[in-house]
Amino acid sequence: MNLRPKLLLAFIGLIVVPLVALGIASFVNSERLLEKKYSEQTEITLKAVGGNIRYFFKELDQLTDSSVTSSYVQDALRSSLDPRGDASSLIAIGQYEKSLGRILFQNPALSMIMLYGKDGSIFKSSRNDPTNFRPISYELLQSHPIYKEVMKKNGLPVWIGPYEQQELTGSDLSLFTQMRLVKDYETLNDRGIMITQVKTNEIDSMLQDFALPSEEQTKTRYLIVNRDGLVMLDSLHALEGKETDSQTTLKLQGTERYASQRSSFGDEDSLVSAYNLDRNGWVLVSVKSWQSLTSENVRFVQWIGGITLLCLISAVLFNIFFVSRVAKAIIRVVRKMRL
């Protein structure tokens, strides 16, 4: 092989290839470091949001714990065993329902409380704002699979998320529903079922508060997904009642603790992170556009690309105006020496 092709190959192998490899490696490494950095930051944020959500439900559990042993709940369910159907019993039912309203004022998120007696009698108290609970018969409630779970819990609360059991909770409004068995606090016999519906406004405000900054292109999207991949809450209110499978190939509902991965969500490249709420298999998901995350890294990448390009241009010019001339001079000398 002649000297000039050898010098050209040496130039490509020792100058061009290392410069290109350096630029690509710098870009890939910066992408990896960014993903790791924002994944760690998102984990801290999701733990904070998840802690607030768990505290919200824990507070409601404690409220209903005290309510099931209250006199107005116990007396109402005892009165349901009274076979009388005269006007005095109707007046008593009205008084019991009025007393149930005291529970609603203990937490502004409470929307409605309903008691089912074992004889099928119903006591209901709700706020003036609309609720979507459609009272069903006690026989229909007993035939539903959720009833067996409630009885199995033996007094512990069972939560139903929005859009999970629409035949029981309806589909008009986004509400959380708690069901629990009520026992007589004296005899511990089963007295009935208490159903409490909770508005999602407070949880939605939590998601909105952590979705800062306010710019749409940098805003984080939060979802609460159940164990089947059903979106119960969406901070953008666009996917509620839909499946996450239509948006991403990731199985978010299978998250055991925390997971974060760069993947497409909808039609956009995003950083998708999921955090298990340790309640009914519900998972808190955050979605943020990868473009918005890397926007601050664009200038750094541009500098790397500019420097690499400048080095390549300098190397090419050096090869053309210096190395080539030296090679030509050497070739002429070799030719003369051969002569």
Side-chain angles (χ1 to χ4, degrees):
M1 184 181 293
N2 295 329
L3 181 61
R4 293 185 64 182
K6 289 181 179 180
L7 290 174
L8 180 61
L9 286 176
F11 169 74
I12 294 174
L14 299 177
I15 304 297
V16 177
V17 173
L19 283 175
V20 173
L22 177 62
I24 294 175
S26 300
F27 176 76
V28 173
N29 190 53
S30 65
E31 293 271 290
R32 184 183 61 82
L33 291 176
L34 273 177
E35 182 176 349
K36 181 181 178 181
K37 169 189 172 183
Y38 285 109
S39 177
E40 292 173 351
Q41 290 181 352
T42 304
E43 181 178 5
I44 296 173
T45 304
L46 287 182
K47 285 183 177 179
V49 180
N52 290 343
I53 293 175
R54 283 197 297 268
Y55 179 78
F56 173 78
F57 284 107
K58 183 179 179 181
E59 190 178 41
L60 292 173
D61 287 341
Q62 293 174 345
L63 175 59
T64 55
D65 285 343
S66 60
S67 298
V68 294
T69 57
S70 62
S71 59
Y72 33 91
V73 171
Q74 294 284 323
D75 293 343
L77 292 177
R78 289 194 187 110
S79 69
S80 68
L81 302 178
D82 190 347
R84 295 179 303 166
D86 53 10
S88 61
S89 64
L90 295 177
I91 294 175
I93 290 175
Q95 291 296 325
Y96 289 132
E97 290 183 339
K98 185 177 180 180
S99 299
L100 286 177
R102 302 177 187 176
I103 303 176
L104 297 176
F105 288 101
Q106 297 183 41
N107 193 306
L110 294 179
S111 178
M112 186 218 67
I113 292 178
M114 179 171 288
L115 295 176
Y116 280 92
K118 294 190 69 175
D119 63 344
S121 58
I122 298 176
F123 304 88
K124 178 181 177 182
S125 180
S126 61
R127 296 183 182 271
N128 292 330
D129 52 356
T131 61
N132 70 335
F133 187 83
R134 298 168 298 175
I136 59 176
S137 65
Y138 188 61
E139 290 75 15
L140 183 58
L141 178 62
Q142 285 179 309
S143 64
H144 197 277
I146 198 69
Y147 181 81
K148 295 180 180 179
E149 184 178 353
V150 172
M151 299 302 292
K152 186 178 180 180
K153 289 287 187 178
N154 200 30
L156 294 176
V158 175
W159 283 93
I160 304 173
Y163 311 104
E164 281 194 300
Q165 304 289 347
Q166 298 186 29
E167 64 277 8
L168 287 180
T169 62
S171 59
D172 300 330
L173 296 175
S174 179
L175 296 170
F176 287 97
T177 304
Q178 185 203 77
M179 302 179 67
R180 66 189 306 166
L181 176 67
V182 181
K183 291 180 171 289
D184 191 304
Y185 65 80
E186 293 180 353
T187 64
L188 297 182
N189 294 327
D190 297 346
R191 285 298 184 189
I193 301 292
M194 184 170 78
I195 297 178
T196 308
Q197 284 204 311
V198 182
K199 293 181 287 187
T200 59
N201 296 2
E202 188 165 341
I203 295 182
D204 185 63
S205 65
M206 295 179 193
L207 303 183
Q208 297 296 337
D209 290 341
F210 280 90
L212 296 176
S214 59
E215 291 80 3
E216 193 64 32
Q217 64 271 16
T218 58
K219 190 173 184 180
T220 304
R221 182 180 199 171
Y222 289 100
L223 311 169
I224 297 182
V225 180
N226 74 352
R227 58 169 64 93
D228 297 321
L230 175 71
V231 179
M232 301 186 298
L233 278 182
D234 178 11
S235 60
L236 298 183
H237 307 291
L239 296 178
E240 293 174 346
K242 300 180 181 179
E243 302 287 338
T244 56
D245 292 342
S246 62
Q247 302 294 318
T248 180
T249 57
L250 299 177
K251 298 299 179 182
L252 302 172
Q253 64 271 23
T255 304
E256 295 183 0
R257 192 58 186 169
Y258 174 78
S260 183
Q261 185 175 343
R262 181 181 174 184
S263 176
S264 61
F265 193 90
D267 298 326
E268 191 173 19
D269 187 16
S270 306
L271 180 66
V272 183
S273 305
Y275 177 72
N276 196 309
L277 291 174
D278 293 329
R279 179 174 289 273
N280 292 5
W282 296 345
V283 175
L284 177 64
V285 179
S286 74
V287 181
K288 191 161 187 177
S289 168
W290 185 255
Q291 183 180 0
S292 67
L293 290 176
T294 57
S295 59
E296 62 184 31
N297 197 43
V298 170
R299 182 172 297 178
F300 172 71
V301 174
Q302 289 175 344
W303 272 101
I304 292 178
I307 293 173
T308 303
L309 182 61
L310 182 62
C311 292
L312 280 174
I313 294 174
S314 301
V316 170
L317 294 177
F318 177 78
N319 182 65
I320 293 173
F321 294 105
F322 182 77
V323 177
S324 295
R325 290 182 178 181
V326 172
K328 289 179 181 179
I330 294 174
I331 291 171
R332 285 197 299 268
V333 170
V334 170
R335 286 176 180 174
K336 291 180 179 180
M337 290 175 66
R338 286 177 179 175
L339 292 175

